Amino acid sequence: MSNKRIVSGMRPTGKLHLGHFHGVLANWRDLQEEYECFFFAADWHSLTTEYDNTGAIRDNIREMVIDWLAFGVDPAKSVIFRQSLVPQHAELNLILSMITPVSWLERNPTFKEMQDNLDAKDLSTFGFLGYPVLMAADIILYRAGKVPVGHDQLPHLEITREIARRFNYLYREVFPEPAALLTETPKVLGLDGRKMSKSYGNSIYLSETAEETSKKIMSMVTDTQRVRRSDPGEPDRCVAFNLHRLYVPDDERAEIVEACRGATIGCVDCKKILARHLVETLAPFRAKRVELAARPELVDEILAEGSDRAAREATMTMTDVRDAIRL
């Protein structure tokens, strides 16, 4: 076990947006400077809900990893790999499923929630119920000391800790109980004021052009109680101001707040300022993304090499697992 090793993955569900950047990628980019990081494309996890729609998974993986690389995840500092290219994930998942009580899975706080939210799909499958077991396998396969999570993900990590504890009790101590590396991330609202989400159609994507981003910013909801240009506004009621806090420098933002409340600046002008800062901030990352998208073979090579490195670590773990259960 290494307290300096962390594991984290992301399901390849489509294009990444600003919410992904602030919620995950920015954190990964910082963590790789201090920790030994294993970051993976969780394509088997995609099958838990998209088992009947697998045609886009390969393309989604490549596009997602291009976003990772363009926005700062470095293959020279982190192991970047594809889950399904490391078969030990599936082997350990099978073994852990033999010892995991069904009651642990049924009490998973997101099990019923996801069934309700995705009611158009038949999720009464063994794989969907058992996805926390696969998640546990993903983490403890690399004997990580810590897992970066938000407060809402702590119950998921606790299931992983319980499964590791049960294996160690039944056989012998092979796995550490990974600790939470709590991460605070800014709340990123979408164009309509709800959480930024592909399913809501309210996202600003990392891969879109500067023109597309500017157009979306200009369509954003502002202070709905400010009816006329001459009415005083309130930034705390403004959806667009959520992004001002992330992208507009403090001194300029303070001037905007004063001007908004004094009705000396209109919402259109305010959003133009936001669009300029946002586009300028994303420009170098997007330029790198264009270069990477033109070299898909490089991305495939990075995933292949990272998967080989991950498999070497996984093989050592599975040797200990097989020895512990006398297989």
Side-chain angles (χ1 to χ4, degrees):
M1 168 187 175
S2 172
N3 282 323
K4 300 299 288 185
R5 176 177 289 182
I6 66 173
V7 177
S8 190
M10 189 183 296
R11 283 165 49 122
T13 57
K15 297 178 180 180
L16 301 188
H17 51 62
L18 288 182
H20 294 115
F21 172 66
H22 289 284
V24 180
L25 293 186
N27 187 42
W28 285 6
R29 183 186 60 194
D30 295 340
L31 288 173
Q32 68 185 356
E33 302 298 332
E34 183 180 353
Y35 292 90
E36 180 187 12
C37 297
F38 286 70
F39 299 135
F40 65 95
D43 49 349
W44 272 332
H45 277 289
S46 292
L47 297 180
T48 60
T49 56
E50 299 297 324
Y51 57 84
D52 57 346
N53 183 30
T54 60
I57 291 178
R58 288 184 180 179
D59 288 340
N60 285 346
I61 290 171
R62 182 180 286 129
E63 291 299 311
M64 179 179 72
V65 174
I66 287 174
D67 283 333
W68 293 2
L69 299 171
F71 281 78
V73 182
D74 188 348
K77 299 176 180 178
S78 304
V79 181
I80 301 171
F81 67 100
R82 181 172 170 176
Q83 182 188 35
S84 66
L85 292 182
V86 184
Q88 291 88 346
H89 284 255
E91 182 182 5
L92 184 56
N93 175 53
L94 175 63
I95 292 170
L96 297 180
S97 71
M98 302 298 180
I99 67 170
T100 302
V102 173
S103 60
W104 289 8
L105 304 177
E106 291 176 333
R107 76 171 190 242
N108 174 17
T110 60
F111 175 64
K112 180 62 176 174
E113 178 185 345
M114 288 184 68
Q115 279 192 319
D116 292 341
N117 291 340
L118 299 174
D119 55 1
K121 285 184 173 290
D122 178 12
L123 296 180
S124 56
T125 63
F126 174 75
F128 181 71
L129 175 65
Y131 86 83
V133 182
L134 178 57
M135 182 182 68
D138 296 332
I139 296 169
I140 66 177
L141 183 59
Y142 300 98
R143 295 192 257 210
K146 296 180 180 179
V147 180
V149 294
H151 286 277
D152 60 331
Q153 298 167 313
L154 286 175
H156 304 150
L157 182 60
E158 187 55 34
I159 295 178
T160 294
R161 290 167 54 84
E162 289 178 332
I163 292 173
R165 193 179 305 134
R166 183 169 171 84
F167 182 98
N168 294 340
Y169 171 78
L170 289 172
Y171 306 111
R172 65 174 173 81
E173 189 162 341
V174 172
F175 300 115
E177 295 179 26
L181 183 62
L182 287 173
T183 57
E184 298 294 337
T185 58
K187 183 178 182 180
V188 181
L189 300 181
L191 303 175
D192 57 1
R194 292 181 293 177
K195 179 181 178 181
M196 192 171 286
S197 170
K198 179 183 177 182
S199 60
Y200 293 154
N202 66 354
S203 299
I204 296 173
Y205 292 101
L206 304 182
S207 57
E208 64 192 27
T209 66
E211 292 73 20
E212 289 170 331
T213 296
S214 295
K215 184 177 180 180
K216 286 183 176 181
I217 291 295
M218 298 310 295
S219 73
M220 283 193 78
V221 175
T222 53
D223 179 357
T224 57
Q225 296 182 36
R226 187 182 187 187
V227 180
R228 293 176 295 273
R229 167 69 170 75
S230 57
D231 293 337
E234 176 48 63
D236 290 340
R237 294 195 300 257
C238 176
V239 172
F241 200 74
N242 173 259
L243 291 180
H244 275 76
R245 294 186 179 96
L246 297 174
Y247 290 98
V248 178
D250 292 345
D251 54 347
E252 188 173 359
R253 192 172 67 251
E255 294 175 1
I256 291 171
V257 169
E258 183 178 355
C260 177
R261 289 172 176 162
T264 60
I265 188 174
C267 295
V268 170
D269 292 331
C270 189
K271 288 192 286 187
K272 285 180 179 178
I273 295 172
L274 170 60
R276 174 170 56 83
H277 282 291
L278 177 54
V279 166
E280 288 176 355
T281 301
L282 297 181
F285 303 110
R286 285 175 165 172
K288 184 175 181 180
R289 196 192 189 288
V290 170
E291 295 177 5
L292 289 166
R295 302 178 61 193
E297 72 284 352
L298 175 62
V299 179
D300 293 341
E301 289 172 7
I302 289 171
L303 282 170
E305 180 181 342
S307 298
D308 286 342
R309 291 173 62 189
R312 289 195 292 271
E313 293 288 336
T315 296
M316 290 188 287
T317 299
M318 291 311 301
T319 297
D320 289 345
V321 168
R322 285 174 164 268
D323 180 66
I325 60 179
R326 296 180 176 86
L327 282 180

